[in-house]
């Protein structure tokens, strides 16, 4: 069936909700149109974004035949977006990788047995480690792996090899949110839950095109708005007039990378008009420059520079809108902020997160119903799988720093490894990893090998072609379900199982863990990543550390999960009470902290009577009289930091030579690099290729008409893209979605790889480009995918 984008959107439930607000679309639906007479329905979660929508997977004759939303799931109440109800179809695409492959001397891949492939990987990794040291081989994981898988690879590297060369793609999407929570509150992840959406009276949607990137959350926000349109207010801070911005009562169109000034200006208005919450300021806030604690008067003084008029000049955001946004934020609460990559993928990402938290702290809009400062995660298991298991180069399970000796000691005991085995020095973060990956004989490249799973860095890294040489010249092992730009550079390809072919736990943005049960077998000889990790461990003499290498995936995943629960039992991230048995029975999963099997989980942290950790002195010490207490405060005062961060703009603002801002993002139909969603014909036809959005005034100046090909050039590379001349992108700002695998439309050949000093997250969202008309309209709806492992990598830059 061929479905146009318009038809796809029209047939969805929130499409109607959006229509009521006179916005273009939301794209959600109650259930799959493919609901058929199936043999059984199996509970699980969607794997195509961080919302964590609950699904039922319909199985007929041993094959997945349909998906429907789980009406009892607390995340989505049965609603799904197009990826949720169509994305599974990619499982049966003929391009699926089915057998282990090893690159031969003729540069072609040849099929080998699992034993041959795993023995080769184990032998080569051990050789590299012996010759170049324990840190010569890295693991690069994904926010799409199951929690048990990320935990196991992390344990193998840090506990088995004694190497912290572990990182993953959440570094590219959520690291600044982690940095923001940790520096402000002392620990990662939000205080509240999605349920705050239905209690909020004002929404601050910032750096997020919610309607396309988190459509089910957008549906909840639009429903709340529609329930009382005059009194529920929506503020959107976003440089494009997106479909999200169209529901706004107040739109703050600040230029990319300038919003730090907007947040400080809002704080200034709040302080100036005495819209602050004095009790929060006196009892829960600590004002700090980052190096020095100051008082509220110093904060007030610091804010003085951010007058609405000065900020309008700097950001192009109307002063009156900022003032009104500040009033609504502070006086029409409870207020809930929601954000994603627009705040995180920045060289000042941590600071941007800090400044949004500031607004909540000074107005008392946190730790109350409907009030929260809430980062939405991009990937389905970036929170549960990578942040919480500590599968980044500087962390250990429980999102605790590897540099902390007490944390290392506790984890070494839990893992039953010798004291001192875990290296205190953090490994390389993602950008450093790929910069230092290279050939064995290249002395400038300390990383000689890498194991990559469930991600496609050859396409998803910023300024990606800079890193292709290192991937090609090192010993690269890639586990995935389809050929990708990254498998094109691999030495060994391992065929992996899809979520519904193995099962396991995902943890979504609201600290909620949910279990998916295995629904069907993987194709050919494809295997679960957990089995691959455990078999690799066995071949490297580490079977005792990771013994879950049997043939029963359910038993293996449960063993790994129980090992993880035990490891984080006595932490404020405890999910000891979240057992497989409970997850199997519960339709909506459980939110940590959940320290024992009687705990119902925690919807709101830091509040007495709501958060069990408040009454666990063996984990944190909270004064008995404290009703709200930020117990992870590093100074043990129960306060959160309100930062006086100086203003800094983007790394590469437009100039005479490169006069445009380029910003990138997702579209509702496509997931990340399009590896799976581009293989669902209905989705691919609906959104077949990337394009560049240009404002009509800019298009006119460059003689560009709708559909014309545009050459877009940055200091790093170029793309050739069809133009969409639309008013949603403001003059001087261009937008390109990033899913397209076509070499000429792979936008990460253009983006910048500068990164945030604190979080090490790159500034995908902002760089400077110039454009020129390249040619007449041409049909580029070619739905490009890398369809064969032997498709040669482009030789031109
Ligand atoms: S909103 Fe996210 S989790 Fe929910 S169905 Fe869509 S892609 Fe899946």
């Amino acid at each position: 069936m061929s479905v146009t984008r318009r038809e796809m959107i029209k047939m969805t439930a929130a499409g109607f909700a959006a229509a009521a607000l006179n916005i273009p679309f939301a794209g959600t639906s109650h259930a799959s149109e493919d609901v058929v007479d199936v043999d059984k329905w199996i509970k699980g979660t969607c794997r195509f974004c961080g919302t964590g929508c609950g699904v039922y997977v319909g199985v007929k004759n041993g094959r997945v035949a349909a998906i429907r939303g789980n009406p009892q799931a607390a995340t989505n109440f049965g609603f799904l977006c197009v990826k949720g109800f169509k994305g599974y179809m990619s499982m049966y695409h003929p391009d699926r990788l089915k057998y282990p492959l090893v690159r031969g001397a003729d540069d072609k891949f040849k099929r080998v047995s699992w034993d041959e492939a795993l023995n080769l990987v184990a032998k080569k990794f051990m050789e590299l480690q012996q010759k170049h040291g324990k840190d010569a081989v890295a693991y690069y994981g994904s926010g799409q792996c199951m929690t048990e898988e990320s935990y196991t690879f992390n344990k193998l590297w840090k506990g088995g090899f004694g190497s912290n060369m572990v990182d993953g793609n959440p570094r590219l999407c959520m690291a600044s949110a982690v940095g923001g929570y940790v520096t402000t509150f002392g620990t990662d992840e939000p205080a509240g839950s999605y349920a705050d959406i239905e209690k909020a009276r004002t929404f601050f949607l910032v750096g997020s095109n919610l309607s396309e990137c988190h459509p089910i959350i957008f549906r909840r926000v639009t429903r709340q708005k529609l329930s009382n349109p005059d009194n529920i207010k929506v503020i959107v801070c976003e440089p494009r007039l997106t479909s999200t911005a169209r529901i706004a009562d107040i739109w703050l169109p600040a230029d990319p990378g300038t919003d730090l000034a907007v947040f400080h200006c809002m704080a200034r208005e709040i302080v100036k008009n005495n819209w602050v919450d004095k009790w929060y300021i006196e009892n829960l806030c600590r004002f700090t420059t980052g190096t020095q604690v100051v008082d509220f008067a110093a904060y007030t003084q610091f804010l003085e520079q951010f007058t609405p008029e000065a900020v309008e000049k700097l950001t192009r955001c109307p002063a009156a809108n900022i003032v009104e946004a500040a009033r609504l934020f502070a006086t029409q609460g409870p207020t809930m902020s929601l954000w994603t990559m627009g705040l995180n993928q920045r060289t000042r990402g941590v600071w941007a997160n800090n400044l949004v938290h500031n607004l909540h702290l000074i107005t008392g809009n946190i730790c109350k119903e409907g009030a929260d400062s809430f980062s939405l995660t991009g990937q389905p298991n970036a929170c549960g799988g990578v942040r919480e298991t500590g599968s980044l180069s500087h962390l250990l399970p429980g999102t605790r720093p590897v540099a902390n000796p007490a944390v290392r000691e506790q984890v070494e005991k839990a893992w039953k490894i010798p004291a001192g085995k875990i290296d205190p020095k953090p490994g390389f973060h993602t950008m450093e990893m790929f910069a230092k990956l290279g050939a064995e004989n290249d002395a400038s490249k300390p990383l000689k090998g890498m194991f990559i799973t469930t991600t496609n860095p050859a396409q998803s890294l910023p300024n990606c072609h800079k890193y292709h040489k290192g991937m090609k010249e090192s010993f690269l092992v890639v586990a995935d379900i389809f050929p990708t730009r990254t498998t094109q550079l691999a030495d060994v390809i391992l065929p992996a199982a899809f979520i519904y072919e193995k099962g396991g736990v995902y943890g979504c943005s609201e600290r909620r863990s949910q279990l998916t049960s295995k629904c069907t077998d993987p194709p050919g000889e494809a295997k679960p990543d957990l089995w691959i990790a455990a078999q690799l461990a066995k071949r490297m003499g580490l079977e005792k550390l990771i013994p879950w290498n049997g043939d029963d995936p359910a038993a293996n995943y449960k063993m790994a999960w129980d090992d993880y629960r035990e490891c984080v039992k006595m932490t404020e991230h405890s999910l000891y009470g979240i057992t497989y048995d409970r997850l199997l029975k519960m339709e909506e999963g459980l939110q940590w902290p959940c320290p024992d099997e009687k705990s119902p989980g925690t919807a709101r942290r830091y509040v007495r009577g709501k958060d069990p950790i408040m009454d666990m002195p063996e984990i944190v010490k909270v004064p008995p009289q404290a009703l709200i207490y930020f117990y992870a405060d590093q100074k043990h005062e129960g306060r959160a930091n309100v930062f006086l961060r100086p203003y800094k703009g983007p790394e590469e603002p437009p100039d005479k030579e490169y006069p445009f801002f380029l910003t990138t993002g997702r579209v509702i139909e496509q997931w990340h690099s399009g590896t799976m969603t581009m293989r669902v014909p209905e989705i691919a036809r609906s959104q077949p290729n990337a394009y560049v959005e240009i404002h009509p005034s800019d298009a006119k100046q460059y003689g560009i008409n709708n559909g014309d090909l545009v050459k877009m050039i940055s200091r790093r590379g170029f793309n050739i893209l069809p133009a969409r001349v639309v008013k949603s992108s403001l003059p001087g700002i261009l937008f390109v979605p990033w899913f397209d695998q076509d070499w000429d439309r792979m936008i990460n050949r253009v983006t910048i790889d500068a990164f945030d000093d604190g979080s090490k997250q790159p500034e995908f969202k902002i760089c400077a480009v110039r454009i020129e008309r390249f040619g007449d309209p041409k049909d580029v709806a070619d739905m490009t995918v890398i369809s064969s492992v032997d498709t040669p990598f482009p030789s031109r830059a």
Side-chain angles (χ1 to χ4, degrees):
M1 180 181 76
S2 173
V3 182
T4 66
R5 184 168 214 235
R6 194 173 166 73
E7 287 162 347
M8 178 90 80
I9 286 155
K10 259 177 74 181
M11 72 189 187
T12 62
F16 299 127
L21 285 165
N22 200 25
I23 58 172
F25 60 83
T28 58
S29 174
H30 190 268
S32 164
E33 61 173 337
D34 309 304
V35 171
V36 291
D37 178 24
V38 299
D39 300 330
K40 56 185 170 184
W41 290 100
I42 298 175
K43 187 164 68 73
T45 47
C46 174
R47 58 98 60 236
F48 292 102
C49 90
T51 304
C53 292
V55 301
Y56 270 98
V57 181
V59 179
K60 191 171 179 66
N61 300 326
R63 284 169 63 95
V64 175
I67 298 277
R68 64 179 168 85
N70 178 354
Q72 294 182 64
T75 46
N76 57 315
F77 310 123
F79 289 85
L80 298 175
C81 80
V82 61
K83 296 185 291 297
F85 68 84
K86 289 276 184 197
Y88 80 90
M89 292 176 167
S90 63
M91 288 168 69
Y92 298 111
H93 193 279
D95 291 350
R96 274 295 295 269
L97 295 167
K98 298 188 185 75
Y99 306 100
L101 300 162
V102 171
R103 195 183 288 280
D106 59 356
D107 217 28
K108 299 272 182 224
F109 281 101
K110 71 171 184 349
R111 179 177 163 181
V112 296
S113 69
W114 270 106
D115 264 340
E116 282 175 275
L118 289 166
N119 287 343
L120 170 69
V121 174
K123 181 169 167 279
K124 189 76 187 170
F125 278 4
M126 286 191 290
E127 277 173 11
L128 291 172
Q129 287 172 334
Q130 274 156 19
K131 206 163 151 196
H132 303 280
K134 65 179 174 57
D135 289 333
V137 178
Y139 167 75
Y140 186 68
S142 168
Q144 295 161 64
C145 290
M146 313 311 294
T147 300
E148 300 88 332
E149 295 163 354
S150 292
Y151 172 74
T152 298
F153 278 110
N154 195 31
K155 185 179 182 187
L156 174 59
W157 250 256
K158 291 176 185 165
F161 306 155
S163 170
N164 294 327
M165 289 301 168
V166 171
D167 222 61
N169 61 16
R171 180 75 70 180
L172 307 180
C173 75
M174 300 314 304
S176 296
V178 179
Y181 279 121
V182 170
T183 48
T184 295
F185 299 103
T187 187
D188 189 22
E189 299 199 37
S193 302
Y194 295 155
D196 288 313
I197 294 171
E198 282 75 28
K199 304 285 180 191
R201 291 187 72 232
T202 293
F203 292 96
F204 187 44
L205 311 180
V206 51
S208 164
N209 188 3
L210 208 58
S211 67
E212 302 239 14
C213 302
H214 292 88
I216 294 298
I217 302 295
F218 184 65
R219 182 183 180 279
R220 288 177 72 160
V221 172
T222 42
R223 276 177 60 88
Q224 177 67 355
K225 169 73 179 161
L226 283 170
S227 72
N228 192 348
D230 293 337
N231 291 312
I232 307 285
K233 300 293 183 182
V234 179
I235 307 160
V236 175
C237 183
E238 154 78 44
R240 298 164 57 225
L241 186 58
T242 58
S243 39
T244 306
R246 284 173 196 266
I247 72 163
D249 296 280
I250 300 288
W251 177 37
L252 304 176
D255 271 346
T258 64
D259 50 12
L260 266 63
V262 173
F263 305 147
H264 275 321
C265 183
M266 287 173 67
R268 181 184 178 276
E269 287 302 303
I270 288 165
V271 170
K272 193 176 113 215
N273 290 289
N274 201 22
W275 294 329
V276 294
D277 186 309
K278 286 199 179 65
W279 188 85
Y280 267 67
I281 285 181
E282 283 164 15
N283 294 283
L284 293 174
C285 295
R286 178 188 305 110
F287 297 90
T288 175
T289 62
T291 54
Q292 192 189 350
V293 175
V294 298
D295 60 13
F296 181 59
Y299 178 60
T300 307
Q301 172 87 31
F302 165 82
L303 293 175
E304 262 318 296
Q305 61 194 296
F306 298 100
T307 63
E309 297 70 28
V311 171
E312 175 172 337
K313 229 170 162 183
L314 186 69
T315 65
R316 287 203 290 173
C317 183
N321 292 24
I322 303 175
V323 172
E324 179 60 1
R327 189 187 69 79
L328 290 176
F329 191 107
T331 66
Q332 296 275 318
T335 298
M336 185 174 194
S337 294
L338 293 158
W339 69 90
T340 51
M341 306 312 154
L343 227 54
N344 298 336
Q345 292 181 327
R346 307 260 294 273
T347 47
R348 321 289 169 224
V350 174
W351 292 8
N353 276 261
N354 290 146
L355 299 197
V356 173
H357 297 321
N358 281 3
L359 296 172
H360 284 269
L361 287 163
I362 63 172
T363 59
N365 271 300
I366 195 159
C367 299
K368 293 175 186 165
E369 274 201 339
D372 200 14
S373 191
F374 198 103
S375 153
L376 289 162
T377 196
Q379 300 185 80
N381 206 24
C383 282
V386 176
R387 289 158 72 169
E388 292 162 21
T389 66
S391 300
L392 292 170
S393 60
H394 63 298
L395 294 176
L396 283 172
T399 324
R400 294 172 294 168
V402 74
N404 183 327
V407 173
R408 288 199 306 280
E409 189 188 335
Q410 187 272 317
V411 175
E412 284 164 351
K413 275 191 188 144
W415 285 350
K416 300 183 181 65
I417 55 175
K421 178 74 183 180
I422 298 175
D423 192 335
K425 193 168 164 250
F428 296 156
H429 58 83
T430 293
M431 298 314 297
E432 199 178 9
M433 254 186 193
F434 284 97
K436 293 186 174 166
L437 180 66
E440 263 208 84
N441 59 5
D442 184 345
S444 68
K445 308 282 182 188
L447 282 184
K448 308 297 182 187
M450 187 181 276
F451 189 106
I452 297 175
T453 183
T454 328
T455 188
N456 183 11
Q459 183 177 345
S460 61
L461 291 175
N463 193 10
C464 58
H465 53 285
K466 178 172 152 186
Y467 303 100
H468 291 156
K469 184 167 178 278
M471 287 190 233
K472 180 71 188 162
E473 292 183 349
S474 60
F475 179 67
L476 196 69
V477 182
V478 180
D480 213 324
I481 71 168
F482 286 117
T484 65
R485 286 283 175 203
T486 306
T487 63
Q488 286 184 294
L489 299 165
D491 296 287
V492 179
I493 300 174
L494 304 175
F498 190 77
I499 180 173
Y500 303 138
E501 297 160 353
K502 57 186 177 183
V505 177
Y506 270 173
C508 68
S509 303
E510 61 166 355
R511 296 175 281 104
R512 184 181 297 281
S513 298
Q514 299 178 93
L515 177 65
T516 296
S517 297
K518 183 182 170 193
C519 306
T520 184
D521 289 327
E525 294 177 6
K527 293 283 189 189
D529 289 84
L530 192 70
W531 181 89
I532 296 171
Q535 287 290 333
L536 187 59
K538 185 176 163 184
R539 284 164 171 79
M540 296 179 79
L542 293 163
E543 186 176 16
K544 225 172 129 193
L545 186 72
I546 294 168
W548 37 89
N549 55 29
D551 289 332
D552 177 2
N556 292 340
Y557 279 78
K558 183 173 180 304
M559 277 173 82
W561 178 256
D562 287 343
D563 198 73
Y564 170 47
R565 282 171 54 230
E566 198 65 56
C567 185
V568 296
K569 182 177 179 181
M570 295 310 291
T571 71
E572 43 92 7
H573 269 56
S574 179
L575 31 70
Y576 187 71
I578 305 180
T579 63
Y580 256 42
D581 280 353
R582 293 183 83 192
L583 289 179
L584 272 172
K585 284 182 203 139
M586 297 184 73
E587 292 286 345
E588 52 189 29
L590 279 159
Q591 288 175 281
W592 64 264
C594 183
D596 61 62
E597 290 190 43
K598 291 212 171 79
S599 167
T602 302
R604 192 169 318 288
R605 294 161 89 191
Y606 313 125
V607 180
R608 178 89 63 196
K610 307 268 184 201
D611 179 346
I613 300 294
M614 296 281 283
D615 296 305
M616 294 186 74
E618 63 275 36
I619 295 178
V620 290
K621 303 239 177 317
V622 178
Q625 73 280 8
L627 295 177
I628 302 174
Y629 195 83
F630 295 118
Y631 49 67
D633 175 15
Q634 304 298 306
K635 291 186 189 289
H636 307 291
E637 294 170 354
R639 290 173 186 269
N641 290 316
V642 174
F643 283 102
L644 286 66
R645 300 290 196 198
Y647 174 77
K648 278 194 177 173
E651 192 70 14
E652 190 184 60
D655 55 21
K656 266 196 184 144
E657 205 183 341
Y658 297 93
F660 286 91
F661 279 113
L662 167 68
T663 187
T664 65
R666 290 190 200 157
V667 287
I668 190 171
E669 299 90 340
Q670 299 289 356
W671 174 246
H672 274 200
S673 57
T675 305
M676 290 172 282
T677 44
M678 280 300 283
R679 286 182 166 93
V680 177
E682 288 87 342
I683 289 179
R685 284 184 203 122
S686 166
Q687 191 63 270
N689 57 271
Y691 50 83
V692 55
E693 284 186 6
I694 309 176
H695 190 269
S697 62
D698 292 330
K700 192 173 170 200
Q701 187 189 342
Y702 286 82
I704 294 166
N705 290 310
N706 211 22
D708 283 353
L709 291 182
V710 173
K711 187 168 184 180
M712 192 175 64
I713 307 148
S714 75
R715 290 180 173 86
R716 295 155 293 281
F718 68 90
N719 269 197
I720 295 164
L721 298 148
R724 280 195 189 172
V725 180
V726 286
K727 285 187 180 153
S728 54
S729 268
L730 299 187
I733 301 176
L734 309 173
F735 168 78
V736 178
W738 77 275
F739 66 89
D740 201 326
Q741 300 174 19
D742 182 90
W743 190 249
D744 280 336
R745 300 189 297 267
M746 257 174 60
I747 194 58
N748 282 328
R749 292 176 55 220
V750 173
T751 53
I752 191 168
D753 51 356
F755 52 81
D756 183 296
D757 281 346
S759 67
K760 319 299 181 195
Q761 180 163 352
E763 191 153 67
F764 285 95
K765 285 290 174 191
I766 313 159
C767 71
V769 295
R770 67 172 188 265
I771 54 171
E772 52 195 59
R773 188 179 181 279
F774 187 77
D776 291 337
K778 187 178 156 200
D779 183 10
V780 296
D782 47 22
M783 299 189 277
T784 303
V785 288
I786 309 302
S787 57
S788 158
V789 291
D790 287 320
T791 305
F793 203 79
S795 51
R796 67 203 162 80

